[in-house]
Amino acid sequence: MSLFKAKDYWSTSLSASDEYDSCGITVAHLTTLDPEQPQIITGSFEGVLRLHLPSEEASPRDLLLEEDLGSPILSVKVGNFVPTNTSDPPTVGLAVLHPKRLVVYKVDNSTPTLSLNKCYEHQLGVHGKHFTAANMCSGGFGSDPSREQICVQSLDSRIQIFDLDVLSFTRRLPNALLPGPIVYHEKLDSFITFNSLLDVECYSFSVLASAQDTLDSDDEEDKLKNLKSPNHPSNTSVSASKKVQASWATNLGESIVEIKIGSLEGVSKDIVCLGTKCIFALNDLGSIKWSKFLGYDTIGFTLFDNPKNPGSNNIIVSGADGNLNVYRSQRLIWKVKLSDPNSFSIATFVNDFDCCKGMITTLSDDCRLSVSYLGTESEKEGQVVKEGKEINYDDVDEEHRKLLGIIRASQSDTRIEPREKIIMRTQVPKRLDEPDQVHTFDGGFEHLADSAVRMPCIDGSEGVLRITAKLFLTYTGTGGLKDVTVTLNLPDSVMTKDTCIKIDKLKGGSATPMIIDIVFFANASVLPTIDTVGVTAMFFTASGEPRTGTTSIKLPLFFFCRLQPATKEPTFKFKLDTNKQPIMLAGLFDDMMDVLTDDERSAVDASGTANYVLTFRYWIADPNGVPYNATVLLSKTSGRYRVQSHHMPSLWFISSSLCSRLESYFLASEGPDSGLELTYNEPHLPLQDFYNCIDSHFISRQNLVHLLSLQNDCAHQFRTIQKRLLLRFKDRNAVPLNQLDVLLSETYHRLLEISSQVESAQWTITSTSNSLSCTTHLILLFIKLRYNLLPSSFTVLSSHLSPHISSTWEESTDLNMMTLLRTVLAKKNQDQTGNLNNNLVMQKDTNKLKKHISIVVDRIHKGASLSAD
Amino acid sequence: MAMGQYIWQDREIRFDAQPRLLENRSGEFIIDSINSVEDTKGNNGMRGSLVVTNLRILWIAHKGKHNLSIGLKTVLNINIRKAKSKLRGPTQALYIMTQDANSRFEFIFTSLVKNSPRLFTTVQSVSRAYKTSSLYRDLKLRGSIIRDQQLILLPLEQVYNKIPDAWNLSSDQGNLGQFFITNVRLVWHANLAQNFNVSVPYMQMKHVRIRNSKFGKALVVETQPRCGGYILGFRLHPPERLETILKEICSLHKIFSVNPIFGVDFHEEESAPSLDALKVARVDDDVEIVDGDTNDAFAAYYAEGSNGSDNKEITFDNDIGLACEKLPDGWNMSSLWNVAGG
């Protein structure tokens, strides 16, 4: 679709009952009536020849001549076809090709109106037989530009050459079943045509003239017979000297609509061939200079002078879509739609008229003849007025607002969430469930039974500790959802039977929310690190877009530990100062007190000490079978709390709970401006203990690596022995076993032994990772409290010194520390863009890591800020 | 002697015209009338009836004053394509592209009767019949209308008189030729060159009178300004015959005015039983409401912007090598092409 339209300077409708071919029109100076204005000559298949002289105001006068010639007109050409009596060159005349005749007229304008005077006429074919014309071309054949001769091609691809009123010769072109377009190439003195093998062929005029061709139809039949019998004596002699042969032929692989000779670069003459979809430029020798895929169905083309490069031509290709495409060589430089949008141009000419140079003459498929020029205003859509033709301005404003909203939403970076979403709510009971029988885990969940925490049931038998949380799902959209998947992201210390819950159907709208009971079990083999379970619901919208909703379940403290009578074994301890009045511990941990049995409560609160000291017992026990515990002490005079334990990782969970409880207590009682300050009140950070923890984790990793390598060696040895034994087993005259069988069984036992060691090493890694995770959490808490880090800085630090222990924690943390040191914590004059070694290779020891952590803590101590601002 | 009335019905497009302009003029007759046709372009959702006469296509809304009168001469082409109708949804519709003076208008009509090709067939065949019979209505110069000194007659035409020795005075020396006076037109051709001829239908005559010229008294035929406003002078020999010829032409023109022949002939292949007996004549209100505001009904039908009026100068573009519309200063064709995203 072109943006521009051609504008008509002049146009007229030829008779609606006529039909035209692209050869049936030419634009030329045929009469001397108006030397500035060329005439448009059209000849229809109905036999009507017309001469039009375009004028500014279209009027009936523009038709100069209309004559019914009585038989169909295939082609019209203007050239110097009229012989003169003297030695002067021939004068201008009009050649009209009918199927059986070629007539040359001279246009006489001596009378008030023009009249056609027939100069001469040729009956085509010998005696007018067996020759039905298809098309013609003209030119100074034989390199004689002074006299224009005519070449007529028949429907069966024979050509007849006429030199003015004399028939020169008739030849058959080989390889052509149907006539293709034919043109005369002046420089080569050759005809360029297109045959049924999809070849463009070049026939030299001199070769055609000197070759002998059989004219008689009888002879032709003979010749065909000769061709069929190769042993015929005359066959070789005929083909040797007299056969018409093409100078060259080039296969274009596409049917050619039209051929023209022109110069596209202004250097030499090119042969321009228009295919049904492509355009080709060939040089004198027939090799393809370039071809261009046009991308539309072509109808015809014309060449015209390129004023920028005199001597060269631009191209106009007419497409079946009604566009005229203007090319300079291969580049599209303009595209224009015909003024009548529903038609296309079957023939296009560019001529200089007296109104302007370079006017385009087109003959459209519905017989409209127009002389037009390029419009430069873009095509406007017809304005459509709504039915009733009364504009409701409120509606228009509303629509405008809505559109502006859409535009704004698409321009802003934040995308607006669709309204349809899943909202989830959770409810956690204030008490643990009644302990259940161990066979809770029947049905594929037996593996949980080993690490689940045991509790006495009411009837005295052993049960399992568990809590049932409720998850409420609501879908806000209309209709319903199918196949919603709810996924639980559990911390190590929490277990459940199924982490993935599938919901077949979820009703939408105001339907009552769907309730799912989720039973959690505590894990007795690890220390708790965090108390929240992540919940993600995933679904697909009606349009197939995946969407999610998330929430989290905060499990209560009593799910992870229980109070016990106070113990005082302070191997590890730290003080936490507040700037507020002390809060009684029994009140602060009231939920813990509530779940106790009466016996337990009296034991814990033996002499009313529960307000000042509480000892929390985790489910996990140390190697001696004594459960890990942590104790919180409150100073009676000031808001100072002390947390202590004989096992450093155990401090973390209780400390974090204490901090969050203090914060939420003061938030509830005094509001957000309570000004609560928690301070870590010890001279040093317990970095050495942290390093020990790192070391034990690192050693367990090293141990595992060592064991795995041993296992590998052992397995290799086992396989080698096996192979040798098998060889001997197959061998007829086997050599003695030489104790290989003993070796095999020894190796096998050793392999089993190492494997069990690997298993225990893996378990050790799990437990040391758990300890390390807790310790890292604790150290982060200490750093945060001691140096009063901003939340943003704390996020940076905790994402670098990560409490989530991966399998390569030491290496990645070392790299993270170095990154911190080179970026936000870098000294000002230090190069910040040094290359870091990104390879995570297990180091021999952790000295470097420890050093780097120390430096980071040191820089934070000196007041360096971690956040960018 | 003055005569001649301008016939606009087939040459113009009128929007929301007064009801009396929609009535058939003399010589105009209804070829087909199709009920339940929607004007999909301008009055989408509105039902109306489409009336095809030998001169124009009329669309009249069943309710309200909306109507269209499309002269057949303005029709450029007719297509059948998909359109979106409010009353029928996406459906086949008749697209009529027209040109009136300098503006192009497009009309889309949808038949609301399912599977009825009548709308398409009637309009297309009537338009074709109109286009192939232009000699009945249009002035023609230098046409191929004479063969062997005889006029090639049109199907409904009869030669009433043939007058030899009629001189045409268009050129300085005058040309001897002869007149053919028929029931449709006046034809003159030169004896020496039969394509030196003129065919003037009575429809295009504005005045026919006798005037003095430098050659003496002459018969002067003046044509309607819409078809060029030519003044053709003829001298007859002997001059006394002028009066009789003038009288003959005038009376034939009078007959033509009462009962003109526009050349569009038709016969129905399968005709419905005569409805004339059943027809209730349309009673027009005797109150004519003349609109104060000149209506802008045509705005909806523009096929392109209404840029017909501002014809710009034509210049030769040295870059492309073709004639083009003159551009404002500071612009050239390649910069415009680049802006247009070519």
Side-chain angles (χ1 to χ4, degrees):
Chain A
M1 184 76 190
S2 170
L3 195 61
F4 300 107
K5 265 194 161 184
K7 293 210 153 189
D8 283 353
Y9 163 73
W10 174 90
S11 77
T12 188
S13 217
L14 302 176
S15 169
S17 54
D18 282 358
E19 266 185 279
Y20 291 88
D21 179 49
S22 61
C23 301
I25 170 170
T26 186
V27 183
H29 292 273
L30 182 60
T31 75
T32 49
L33 273 182
D34 186 348
E36 292 296 313
Q37 199 86 323
Q39 294 94 49
I40 305 169
I41 301 119
T42 52
S44 73
F45 287 156
E46 279 65 30
V48 181
L49 185 82
R50 290 191 180 87
L51 238 83
H52 282 98
L53 183 73
S55 63
E56 184 136 21
E57 295 277 324
S59 77
R61 270 177 208 266
D62 300 336
L63 178 67
L64 296 180
L65 182 86
E66 181 182 67
E67 193 145 328
D68 189 347
L69 298 181
S71 75
I73 299 171
L74 301 176
S75 181
V76 288
K77 280 242 175 314
V78 173
N80 295 326
F81 304 130
V82 181
T84 46
N85 295 329
T86 58
S87 57
D88 295 341
T91 57
V92 68
L94 173 69
V96 179
L97 183 69
H98 300 287
K100 295 285 185 189
R101 288 182 300 146
L102 172 70
V103 192
V104 171
Y105 296 98
K106 187 172 168 58
V107 177
D108 185 5
N109 54 358
S110 57
T111 54
T113 54
L114 300 180
S115 59
L116 283 182
N117 292 340
K118 191 188 281 181
C119 296
Y120 53 90
E121 176 177 345
H122 292 287
Q123 295 292 325
L124 296 175
V126 181
H127 319 302
K129 283 198 300 181
H130 303 298
F131 193 103
T132 307
N135 52 19
M136 66 174 173
C137 66
S138 65
F141 307 157
S143 301
D144 180 4
S146 65
R147 44 201 305 130
E148 239 179 315
Q149 305 179 42
I150 298 173
C151 166
V152 179
Q153 188 179 208
S154 76
L155 281 176
D156 54 354
S157 292
R158 278 179 297 160
I159 53 168
Q160 278 197 316
I161 311 282
F162 299 98
D163 183 4
L164 301 185
D165 45 356
V166 180
L167 165 66
S168 301
F169 56 85
T170 304
R171 293 286 179 271
R172 172 180 290 283
L173 299 180
N175 300 332
L177 299 173
L178 291 169
I182 185 164
V183 290
Y184 175 69
H185 193 309
E186 214 168 285
K187 191 186 151 205
L188 300 178
D189 188 25
S190 301
F191 295 103
I192 313 292
T193 184
F194 177 75
N195 70 19
S196 309
L197 298 171
L198 305 183
D199 288 333
V200 169
E201 287 181 318
C202 172
Y203 291 99
S204 161
F205 178 72
S206 53
V207 169
L208 285 172
S210 61
Q212 275 194 4
D213 203 15
T214 46
L215 300 180
D216 229 281
S217 57
D218 296 342
D219 286 1
E220 248 172 59
E221 277 167 27
D222 280 352
K223 195 178 170 189
L224 281 174
K225 276 179 201 160
N226 293 349
L227 285 173
K228 279 174 191 164
S229 58
N231 298 330
H232 195 280
S234 70
N235 194 23
T236 45
S237 62
V238 165
S239 57
S241 61
K242 294 160 187 170
K243 204 174 157 190
V244 174
Q245 238 175 349
S247 316
W248 50 257
T250 303
N251 193 292
L252 294 183
E254 188 172 322
S255 196
I256 294 302
V257 176
E258 212 169 350
I259 302 175
K260 283 195 161 70
I261 311 294
S263 174
L264 298 178
E265 272 97 41
V267 185
S268 59
K269 288 278 181 195
D270 302 300
I271 301 160
V272 189
C273 307
L274 181 72
T276 48
K277 292 270 186 200
C278 300
I279 188 161
F280 304 88
L282 275 63
N283 67 10
D284 290 350
L285 298 170
S287 48
I288 300 175
K289 284 170 88 173
W290 53 259
S291 71
K292 182 180 170 68
F293 178 72
L294 299 176
Y296 47 85
D297 289 322
T298 60
I299 302 294
F301 79 114
T302 189
L303 300 173
F304 64 97
D305 290 340
N306 174 8
K308 276 203 151 177
N309 183 5
S312 73
N313 296 120
N314 286 346
I315 311 169
I316 295 182
V317 180
S318 153
D321 49 3
N323 288 327
L324 296 178
N325 305 276
V326 186
Y327 295 90
R328 176 171 302 140
S329 197
Q330 296 176 66
R331 197 163 62 88
L332 181 71
I333 55 172
W334 201 260
K335 185 174 192 142
V336 71
K337 191 146 185 73
L338 288 190
S339 54
D340 183 2
N342 300 320
S343 62
F344 55 83
S345 166
I346 59 168
T348 313
F349 295 87
V350 174
N351 294 87
D352 297 344
F353 284 83
D354 63 355
C355 62
C356 188
K357 293 196 287 180
M359 300 292 279
I360 307 165
T361 306
T362 53
L363 175 63
S364 74
D365 58 328
D366 51 5
C367 294
R368 200 165 177 82
L369 187 62
S370 22
V371 176
S372 45
Y373 55 98
L374 305 179
T376 54
E377 271 172 30
S378 62
E379 191 181 341
K380 292 172 203 149
E381 275 294 311
Q383 91 196 75
V384 175
V385 181
K386 287 272 174 64
E387 167 199 11
K389 292 169 187 136
E390 277 167 20
I391 297 163
N392 185 340
Y393 288 100
D394 291 343
D395 283 358
V396 172
D397 280 350
E398 179 60 31
E399 190 180 348
H400 185 234
R401 262 199 299 280
K402 216 189 263 174
L403 290 173
L404 279 182
I406 293 170
I407 293 168
R408 232 178 277 130
S410 67
Q411 282 173 343
S412 68
D413 292 335
T414 51
R415 283 189 57 194
I416 294 170
E417 285 292 318
R419 280 185 200 161
E420 297 80 26
K421 56 184 175 186
I422 281 188
I423 295 175
M424 289 189 287
R425 218 155 40 77
T426 57
Q427 197 179 21
V428 182
K430 292 253 186 277
R431 289 183 158 274
L432 290 170
D433 296 357
E434 281 306 316
D436 201 356
Q437 296 299 323
V438 178
H439 55 74
T440 316
F441 296 114
D442 289 354
F445 303 103
E446 287 82 0
H447 61 279
L448 298 179
D450 292 342
S451 41
V453 177
R454 306 298 155 108
M455 290 271 290
C457 290
I458 297 169
D459 59 3
S461 65
E462 196 181 41
V464 175
L465 179 142
R466 56 176 206 171
I467 191 166
T468 307
K470 280 182 162 46
L471 179 68
F472 299 86
L473 283 125
T474 320
Y475 177 57
T476 59
T478 51
L481 286 177
K482 281 182 180 174
D483 297 331
V484 180
T485 313
V486 178
T487 318
L488 303 176
N489 185 15
L490 299 170
D492 291 342
S493 50
V494 181
M495 301 187 296
T496 187
K497 281 184 183 174
D498 211 343
T499 56
C500 186
I501 304 160
K502 289 217 159 125
I503 302 164
D504 290 341
K505 207 168 182 187
L506 180 63
K507 279 184 187 166
S510 52
T512 45
M514 182 177 217
I515 304 170
I516 301 171
D517 287 339
I518 305 170
V519 184
F520 293 110
F521 305 97
N523 189 340
S525 57
V526 290
L527 273 173
T529 47
I530 45 174
D531 58 356
T532 47
V533 176
V535 184
T536 308
M538 200 198 77
F539 62 98
F540 288 93
T541 60
S543 55
E545 193 184 352
R547 296 201 59 80
T548 54
T550 53
T551 188
S552 60
I553 303 174
K554 189 174 162 67
L555 292 170
L557 187 60
F558 53 77
F559 178 73
F560 297 100
C561 54
R562 206 167 178 88
L563 289 175
Q564 68 167 48
T567 53
K568 288 186 182 175
E569 22 187 337
T571 325
F572 301 98
K573 60 181 176 184
F574 74 93
K575 287 194 216 88
L576 192 67
D577 278 0
T578 63
N579 54 353
K580 297 279 175 184
Q581 285 302 308
I583 311 298
M584 294 298 119
L585 288 181
L588 204 60
F589 290 96
D590 55 347
D591 55 333
M592 293 297 291
M593 300 297 284
D594 288 349
V595 296
L596 294 179
T597 59
D598 292 342
D599 294 349
E600 283 174 316
R601 186 172 300 149
S602 55
V604 167
D605 197 9
S607 48
T609 54
N611 279 336
Y612 297 102
V613 55
L614 282 178
T615 300
F616 298 85
R617 171 171 60 88
Y618 296 107
W619 309 127
I620 180 177
D622 64 6
N624 303 325
V626 182
Y628 288 123
N629 59 50
T631 306
V632 181
L633 295 154
L634 172 64
S635 154
K636 288 184 182 169
T637 51
S638 63
R640 171 178 290 178
Y641 303 83
R642 195 165 68 186
V643 187
Q644 60 185 36
S645 172
H646 65 286
H647 179 234
M648 184 167 168
S650 308
L651 289 174
W652 153 246
F653 196 66
I654 297 304
S655 316
S656 108
S657 182
L658 175 66
C659 289
S660 63
R661 272 160 200 263
L662 282 172
E663 277 164 9
S664 56
Y665 178 87
F666 284 105
L667 187 70
S669 61
E670 295 180 24
D673 305 321
S674 62
L676 169 72
E677 276 179 24
L678 296 172
T679 325
Y680 175 74
N681 191 9
E682 294 288 333
H684 299 293
L685 289 171
L687 282 179
Q688 194 49 53
D689 300 323
F690 178 45
Y691 295 156
N692 291 344
C693 217
I694 293 176
D695 278 341
S696 62
H697 177 250
F698 189 70
I699 288 166
S700 64
R701 279 183 60 202
Q702 277 181 325
N703 188 31
L704 179 66
V705 170
H706 173 69
L707 283 172
L708 284 175
S709 123
L710 273 184
Q711 192 186 29
N712 185 39
D713 292 349
C714 195
H716 184 70
Q717 182 182 331
F718 181 71
R719 244 175 279 127
T720 316
I721 298 166
Q722 237 179 353
K723 227 184 251 176
R724 288 191 188 176
L725 268 175
L726 278 171
L727 272 177
R728 297 196 186 174
F729 179 70
K730 278 164 81 180
D731 206 346
R732 277 189 191 171
N733 306 316
V735 286
L737 285 177
N738 275 343
Q739 311 292 332
L740 264 180
D741 51 342
V742 181
L743 205 52
L744 182 76
S745 84
E746 280 300 310
T747 316
Y748 179 66
H749 284 124
R750 190 170 150 65
L751 193 58
L752 288 185
E753 198 184 313
I754 293 173
S755 297
S756 61
Q757 282 175 15
V758 167
E759 259 180 19
S760 80
Q762 278 166 339
W763 189 87
T764 316
I765 287 189
T766 316
S767 112
T768 51
S769 298
N770 183 236
S771 299
L772 180 59
S773 175
C774 290
T775 317
T776 313
H777 270 299
L778 193 64
I779 288 292
L780 287 169
L781 178 71
F782 288 168
I783 293 175
K784 178 185 170 189
L785 294 180
R786 184 178 169 134
Y787 302 117
N788 213 359
L789 290 189
L790 295 169
S792 58
S793 302
F794 182 69
T795 314
V796 172
L797 183 66
S798 60
S799 53
H800 283 82
L801 186 65
S802 172
H804 303 287
I805 310 300
S806 65
S807 60
T808 56
W809 187 84
E810 281 82 0
E811 294 89 275
S812 48
T813 306
D814 191 19
L815 200 62
N816 289 342
M817 290 300 109
M818 286 203 279
T819 313
L820 273 186
L821 289 174
R822 294 204 184 185
T823 53
V824 282
L825 292 180
K827 283 179 185 165
K828 277 191 180 147
N829 48 5
Q830 203 172 325
D831 179 22
Q832 298 197 354
T833 55
N835 271 336
L836 283 176
N837 181 14
N838 285 333
N839 295 334
L840 294 180
V841 180
M842 198 170 168
Q843 305 290 327
K844 275 182 193 161
D845 52 41
T846 55
N847 290 340
K848 254 185 167 173
L849 170 65
K850 289 175 197 164
K851 206 174 106 193
H852 286 139
I853 293 177
S854 303
I855 298 172
V856 167
V857 174
D858 189 42
R859 295 234 173 120
I860 294 172
H861 176 65
K862 283 179 181 161
S865 167
L866 279 164
S867 53
D869 43 46
Chain B
M1 122 166 233
M3 54 187 201
Q5 192 190 359
Y6 172 60
I7 295 171
W8 59 268
Q9 275 82 351
D10 61 332
R11 269 141 224 272
E12 285 184 14
I13 301 173
R14 298 219 174 168
F15 299 93
D16 298 353
Q18 293 162 11
R20 76 180 158 77
L21 299 180
L22 302 178
E23 289 164 21
N24 286 350
R25 59 156 289 121
S26 60
E28 185 182 11
F29 51 85
I30 292 175
I31 293 173
D32 201 356
S33 171
I34 305 159
N35 236 330
S36 285
V37 174
E38 180 198 61
D39 168 22
T40 309
K41 181 132 182 180
N43 298 299
N44 202 337
M46 206 180 276
R47 236 169 244 270
S49 54
L50 191 86
V51 181
V52 183
T53 77
N54 55 340
L55 293 183
R56 53 184 167 162
I57 300 164
L58 291 159
W59 180 84
I60 301 154
H62 287 166
K63 288 174 195 165
K65 62 183 170 69
H66 297 299
N67 62 58
L68 300 168
S69 161
I70 307 161
L72 285 174
K73 194 176 170 68
T74 65
V75 173
L76 283 177
N77 55 39
I78 295 173
N79 278 288
I80 296 168
R81 274 188 285 166
K82 279 249 153 105
K84 215 170 184 180
S85 154
K86 269 193 190 164
L87 295 177
R88 270 197 65 191
T91 177
Q92 296 275 0
L94 186 76
Y95 281 70
I96 305 180
M97 177 63 79
T98 62
Q99 176 153 31
D100 185 20
N102 284 320
S103 309
R104 276 169 200 258
F105 297 101
E106 186 183 49
F107 300 91
I108 307 170
F109 295 109
T110 314
S111 172
L112 300 173
V113 183
K114 262 190 189 170
N115 302 325
S116 164
R118 213 170 100 203
L119 170 68
F120 306 138
T121 51
T122 313
V123 175
Q124 279 181 317
S125 47
V126 169
S127 164
R128 187 166 171 81
Y130 180 89
K131 278 196 173 157
T132 48
S133 59
S134 65
L135 276 175
Y136 284 95
R137 300 174 305 268
D138 291 337
L139 177 93
K140 176 115 185 172
L141 294 173
R142 309 180 192 113
S144 141
I145 54 172
I146 309 287
R147 191 181 293 145
D148 303 331
Q149 304 289 320
Q150 287 300 319
L151 179 68
I152 304 169
L153 285 181
L154 301 170
L156 299 171
E157 193 175 25
Q158 287 168 313
V159 178
Y160 285 179
N161 204 349
K162 190 172 149 187
I163 301 149
D165 309 329
W167 290 82
N168 177 296
L169 305 177
S170 64
S171 52
D172 283 344
Q173 76 271 31
N175 268 286
L176 184 61
Q178 60 178 329
F179 266 133
F180 290 96
I181 298 172
T182 77
N183 56 343
V184 183
R185 55 184 174 162
L186 175 71
V187 175
W188 177 89
H189 79 89
N191 284 343
L192 291 174
Q194 60 185 16
N195 65 5
F196 181 20
N197 59 44
V198 58
S199 151
V200 194
Y202 295 124
M203 190 177 152
Q204 293 299 346
M205 289 182 189
K206 194 179 168 202
H207 302 288
V208 185
R209 56 188 151 193
I210 292 171
R211 242 170 55 178
N212 273 322
S213 72
K214 58 179 174 179
F215 298 101
K217 277 195 170 182
L219 179 76
V220 174
V221 179
E222 191 178 334
T223 65
Q224 296 281 2
R226 270 252 176 169
C227 73
Y230 294 100
I231 296 168
L232 307 163
F234 302 97
R235 199 163 68 91
L236 290 170
H237 199 75
E240 296 79 55
R241 285 169 63 207
L242 264 179
E243 286 292 340
T244 45
I245 299 298
L246 176 68
K247 216 172 183 181
E248 187 173 358
I249 293 173
C250 286
S251 52
L252 277 172
H253 186 274
K254 237 178 228 164
I255 296 167
F256 183 86
S257 309
V258 175
N259 192 11
I261 300 164
F262 294 120
V264 177
D265 197 14
F266 82 103
H267 66 276
E268 264 178 84
E269 280 174 349
E270 38 183 282
S271 67
S274 164
L275 285 173
D276 282 344
L278 307 170
K279 259 189 196 165
V280 179
R282 195 191 301 173
V283 182
D284 289 325
D285 296 341
D286 42 4
V287 185
E288 191 174 282
I289 301 158
V290 180
D291 277 339
D293 52 337
T294 49
N295 55 43
D296 54 349
F298 54 87
Y301 300 95
Y302 272 124
E304 52 199 23
S306 54
N307 49 4
S309 52
D310 53 341
N311 265 330
K312 290 191 181 160
E313 210 178 312
I314 310 174
T315 55
F316 180 68
D317 183 73
N318 256 319
D319 185 40
I320 292 178
L322 292 171
C324 65
E325 213 170 16
K326 193 169 184 185
L327 283 167
D329 287 343
W331 282 89
N332 60 38
M333 292 298 266
S334 60
S335 64
L336 183 62
W337 178 244
N338 290 334
V339 168

